[in-house]
Amino acid sequence: MSKKLEFYSYEKGTAFRHAVEARKKFGTIDSDRHAYEKALKDVRTEPELSVDDDVAVIRLWQNYLVRFGRDLDRQIDGLSTEVIACRDSWRDDARRIKAILDRLLHHRFPIRNFEEEVQEFILHVTTRPGIIDDMSNVPAQVLTELHSTYSRTFDICVLKLNSINSGRITATNIALSILALIVAILSLFVAVLTLL
């Protein structure tokens, strides 16, 4: 029943919308009586919920944030696995690494949207009376792990590309040195021939 996110698809409010829909479907919330559409536009608004309904929606929201955050983390971890599999001494792998880096950079926006929703969740949880304060820890931890995975993958891409560039520079320097040696030997040979 888990909904898997496609690459680049996370939008702010996705987890909250899923939580409200799940609560409406399985709970006792009367959607006509409560201002959910207003709450969807700005999660800081205060829909007319009883404390029990409010806690249920917030727990569902927390669960969806964790689920979607882990989906994003798995996607980025998959990119990390791909880049680690690339050798850092071949030209074709440089193109592959650049393509992976490009895909990784496209994840900035969904990650930013997820981060904003986690911040809204934390703000909502900490400002509501009757809500357990430690509920905000889990989505914040998932966000921290997501940032860590993104940073690690970005660093691996950059290190591998730098290694490839260093190898190319070293190979170019060796080729130039060999060429200079050949020119020097030929010059010496021509000089000896002209003396004879």
Side-chain angles (χ1 to χ4, degrees):
M1 191 163 191
S2 172
K3 295 185 179 183
K4 183 139 174 99
L5 290 177
E6 298 294 323
F7 276 133
Y8 324 127
S9 66
Y10 192 84
E11 294 179 13
K12 181 181 171 190
T14 300
F16 183 74
R17 283 191 295 277
H18 279 82
V20 170
E21 288 170 11
R23 184 65 178 152
K24 282 183 199 177
K25 186 174 181 180
F26 300 110
T28 58
I29 295 175
D30 178 3
S31 60
D32 294 331
R33 200 180 85 204
H34 300 292
Y36 285 110
E37 291 306 315
K38 183 179 176 190
L40 288 174
K41 291 178 185 166
D42 183 0
V43 294
R44 287 179 286 182
T45 62
E46 297 193 21
E48 300 169 13
L49 294 171
S50 68
V51 173
D52 292 337
D53 285 340
D54 198 23
V55 170
V57 169
I58 288 173
R59 286 208 184 277
L60 286 167
W61 188 12
Q62 175 191 26
N63 292 339
Y64 278 108
L65 279 172
V66 170
R67 180 183 299 170
F68 291 145
R70 290 202 172 130
D71 282 348
L72 283 169
D73 190 58
R74 274 191 290 275
Q75 290 174 358
I76 294 170
D77 197 47
L79 293 176
S80 179
T81 303
E82 281 184 54
V83 78
I84 288 171
C86 294
R87 289 178 274 178
D88 54 355
S89 61
W90 298 99
R91 183 171 184 240
D92 292 336
D93 283 341
R95 287 187 193 139
R96 220 171 120 205
I97 293 169
K98 287 178 185 176
I100 292 169
L101 183 60
D102 187 48
R103 287 172 34 210
L104 179 67
L105 292 175
H106 283 351
H107 274 83
R108 288 183 318 223
F109 305 111
I111 290 172
R112 183 65 185 141
N113 291 337
F114 179 76
E115 180 180 12
E116 288 175 0
E117 187 167 1
V118 168
Q119 290 169 350
E120 291 290 339
F121 174 80
I122 291 169
L123 180 65
H124 189 74
V125 167
T126 56
T127 59
R128 301 287 286 192
I131 304 296
I132 304 166
D133 287 336
D134 66 346
M135 288 178 73
S136 63
N137 294 342
V138 177
Q141 183 179 0
V142 170
L143 180 61
T144 302
E145 291 169 6
L146 181 60
H147 281 296
S148 174
T149 304
Y150 184 89
S151 295
R152 182 190 64 217
T153 305
F154 183 83
D155 291 345
I156 292 170
C157 286
V158 170
L159 286 172
K160 288 209 175 230
L161 288 173
N162 285 342
S163 176
I164 290 170
N165 288 336
S166 295
R168 288 179 181 171
I169 290 170
T170 301
T172 303
N173 287 340
I174 289 171
L176 288 175
S177 297
I178 291 171
L179 183 65
L181 181 63
I182 291 170
V183 169
I185 290 172
L186 288 175
S187 298
L188 184 63
F189 183 70
V190 169
V192 168
L193 286 178
T194 55
L195 289 174
L196 294 176

